[in-house]
Amino acid sequence: MGDQHGRTFESRAGVAAFLAGVWLIAAPPVLHFSASVHAFRPYWWSMGLAVVVMLLGMVRAMAPLDVPLAQPITIALALWLVIVALRAADDGVWAVWLNQLVVSALIALSAGLALFVSMRR
């Protein structure tokens, strides 16, 4: 029963990471509304990391306990997203960077909780 609970929790955390990655990619155009090519320059790092978070989220959702390093890697990527947001906050729109900080913290929290639940088994 504990294994089933761990799989369900990890799978839901993977889906949450996938959806958060989708939102991180969609947020700059939605929140910034600028059609300029240069408008997306400050967000390339965060968009690239969001794609990796999405891929890891898909792996975690499909095969929750088969890839044990997915949780720590997701946490590290979320922390890297926070660092990118804090480092480059002067070039972008504050709403996009605040969104990135909040979503990255939620990704790290969900992956950390999933890691905690899997360690308790």
Side-chain angles (χ1 to χ4, degrees):
M1 182 71 176
D3 187 47
Q4 183 65 26
H5 178 68
R7 284 187 182 277
T8 303
F9 196 83
E10 177 63 23
S11 181
R12 288 180 182 164
V15 170
F18 176 78
L19 293 174
V22 169
W23 174 247
L24 283 174
I25 291 173
V30 170
L31 297 175
H32 197 194
F33 293 114
S34 182
S36 168
V37 174
H38 301 291
F40 295 107
R41 185 171 292 154
Y43 311 118
W44 284 118
W45 271 105
S46 60
M47 286 181 168
L49 289 172
V51 168
V52 176
V53 167
M54 283 174 48
L55 293 174
L56 277 174
M58 284 186 349
V59 168
R60 290 171 56 205
M62 301 285 224
L65 301 178
D66 296 338
V67 185
L69 287 178
Q71 299 153 334
I73 292 172
T74 304
I75 294 169
L77 287 172
L79 294 176
W80 192 6
L81 276 166
V82 169
I83 292 169
V84 166
L86 292 175
R87 180 188 54 82
D90 55 344
D91 286 345
V93 175
W94 69 270
V96 175
W97 295 117
L98 180 63
N99 173 65
Q100 183 175 336
L101 286 173
V102 170
V103 172
S104 300
L106 290 175
I107 293 170
L109 180 66
S110 70
L113 285 174
L115 182 63
F116 178 71
V117 167
S118 69
M119 289 176 65
R120 288 189 57 200
R121 285 183 289 118

